[in-house]
Amino acid sequence: MDKKRVLITGAAGFLGSHLCDRFIKEGFYVIGMDNLITGSLKNIEHLFGLEDFEFQHHDVSNYVHVSGQLDYILHFASPASPIDYLKIPIQTLKVGSLGTHNLLGLAKTKGARMLIASTSEVYGDPLVHPQTESYYGNVNPIGPRGVYDEAKRFQEAMTMAYHTYHGLETRIVRIFNTYGPRMRLNDGRVLPAFIGQALRGEDLTVFGDGSQTRSFCYVDDLIDGIYRLLFSDYAEPVNVGNPDEITIKEFAEEIIKLTGTDQKVTYKPLPKDDPMQRQPDITKAREILKWEPKVSRADGLKITYDYFKTLTQEELFAKEHNSFEGYIKK
């Protein structure tokens, strides 16, 4: 029991699985927890034979129990793309509220430090550009995206309350658009959507006129920023993302060039409350964490495209994530 023990919720998801890899590599005993609504065991099956990894199939919106010592908790359980949280809005709200409360209680009992995965979505459709941590956001609480935005905003408030009232060691990372291997092709986010359409020979769908911007961070860079934040002494929110901004139209053209396909770009109406600009101000991350992204978009996209090319035809043409069934009406 000389190894530090870390609980990672959402462990079978895109970011959670990469966090499991990083903490195993750093010599931790990792407890992965996931209810598999949006995650996939395929993302962590390579860890199952390791003596320093265990998996618990559990929904953190219910009471959470972990036996023995626990040093750190990283709360990454949540739907994280519009196609997910529009289908399971109540589960999205519950994992951000009840789930966070349960895990903060566990952290308090165990004397563990807890880091929560917040999001750039707390800024809503921002009126300030780029977005700094001091910006309070422009969020529609009753719009279709409100279930995710407000769940994360509540999560931050609850976490800070435990920090100030109980003296719990907490960390808050605000994650901007991230990409890389293990993204789910059908999760509705722009990068896997574009690459999936290119691989299937479909035209690329841009919502709006394509002038809205995003800033894409490669997953390895993001995980390093999260790791540094966990072991910092800073309790307030920190933006972690890549400030290299690009319009969605330009991004579609990059994907067509990368994949060597000749698809056209088609345009559809912009969804309600879709942010027009998204770019992190990472001054705090640079100063406090000595962190900034290192992987260029060209290099990161090539690695990601190579991953998507390994998917089976079933995965490539899948319309739904299997685990949604049975949860939609709960």
Side-chain angles (χ1 to χ4, degrees):
M1 294 298 293
D2 55 340
K3 285 181 180 276
K4 295 288 187 182
R5 287 163 51 94
V6 57
L7 169 65
I8 299 174
T9 71
F14 168 46
L15 295 181
S17 65
H18 285 280
L19 282 168
C20 289
D21 288 345
R22 176 63 184 263
F23 279 86
I24 289 288
K25 181 182 175 184
E26 298 288 349
F28 288 79
Y29 184 92
V30 175
I31 303 161
M33 186 174 286
D34 204 302
N35 65 0
L36 303 177
I37 298 180
T38 60
S40 171
L41 289 178
K42 182 181 177 183
N43 292 334
I44 52 173
E45 62 186 1
H46 61 287
L47 301 175
F48 284 167
L50 303 180
E51 62 179 18
D52 290 336
F53 180 79
E54 68 175 87
F55 177 72
Q56 296 185 16
H57 184 198
H58 183 69
D59 186 338
V60 298
S61 298
N62 301 318
Y63 177 76
V64 180
H65 172 73
V66 174
S67 298
Q69 161 199 339
L70 195 60
D71 300 286
Y72 304 101
I73 298 172
L74 288 90
H75 182 24
F76 278 71
S78 176
S81 70
I83 199 169
D84 290 350
Y85 52 72
L86 293 178
K87 287 180 178 175
I88 46 173
I90 294 169
Q91 289 79 5
T92 302
L93 285 161
K94 286 171 69 174
V95 75
S97 55
L98 301 177
T100 302
H101 189 204
N102 290 336
L103 291 161
L104 285 164
L106 178 64
K108 180 173 174 284
T109 299
K110 298 287 187 179
R113 179 180 300 179
M114 178 161 153
L115 180 147
I116 63 160
S118 189
T119 171
S120 60
E121 294 294 329
V122 300
Y123 301 123
D125 187 6
L127 304 177
V128 170
H129 192 72
Q131 292 83 56
T132 66
E133 291 88 348
S134 60
Y135 178 51
Y136 294 157
N138 177 39
V139 173
N140 177 3
I142 60 170
R145 303 173 72 101
V147 295
Y148 183 66
D149 300 358
E150 296 296 351
K152 291 296 188 179
R153 288 159 71 93
F154 177 88
Q155 183 182 46
E156 287 195 13
M158 175 69 83
T159 299
M160 191 54 70
Y162 263 74
H163 172 74
T164 55
Y165 185 77
H166 290 300
L168 190 69
E169 287 196 26
T170 58
R171 306 290 182 265
I172 300 171
V173 58
R174 288 182 180 161
I175 298 169
F176 283 69
N177 295 75
T178 306
Y179 69 97
R182 301 181 197 157
M183 293 192 87
R184 213 175 75 234
L185 202 59
N186 60 357
D187 81 351
R189 282 181 276 198
V190 64
L191 188 149
F194 280 174
I195 292 183
Q197 287 175 323
L199 287 172
R200 291 189 297 266
E202 302 167 359
D203 291 338
L204 272 60
T205 304
V206 169
F207 294 96
D209 62 5
S211 63
Q212 67 269 39
T213 67
R214 296 295 183 267
S215 307
F216 296 99
C217 184
Y218 185 64
V219 63
D220 287 359
D221 282 336
L222 184 90
I223 296 301
D224 187 52
I226 292 167
Y227 189 84
R228 290 175 184 233
L229 177 59
L230 178 67
F231 294 105
S232 74
D233 293 324
Y234 194 75
E236 293 187 10
V238 177
N239 290 338
V240 178
N242 192 323
D244 185 12
E245 186 181 22
I246 186 173
T247 69
I248 295 300
K249 184 177 184 296
E250 291 169 335
F251 188 59
E253 292 165 354
E254 279 192 7
I255 296 297
I256 290 172
K257 183 178 179 182
L258 169 72
T259 59
T261 52
D262 58 359
Q263 273 82 0
K264 301 191 298 292
V265 176
T266 62
Y267 295 87
K268 291 187 176 181
L270 193 68
K272 184 176 174 59
D273 300 327
D274 194 59
M276 285 303 296
Q277 291 182 305
R278 186 67 88 231
Q279 182 189 25
D281 182 313
I282 61 168
T283 302
K284 276 190 177 182
R286 286 190 172 115
E287 292 177 352
I288 297 167
L289 311 180
K290 310 303 181 194
W291 175 91
E292 61 183 359
K294 297 177 181 176
V295 180
S296 70
R297 193 166 62 246
D299 289 343
L301 284 177
K302 184 179 185 306
I303 298 167
T304 306
Y305 179 50
D306 287 344
Y307 165 77
F308 281 129
K309 286 193 294 186
T310 68
L311 297 181
T312 65
Q313 287 294 298
E314 183 182 2
E315 291 169 321
L316 184 60
F317 285 90
K319 297 296 184 185
E320 293 278 0
H321 186 57
N322 291 338
S323 297
F324 278 134
E325 188 175 351
Y327 283 93
I328 299 297
K329 294 183 180 180
K330 280 189 177 179

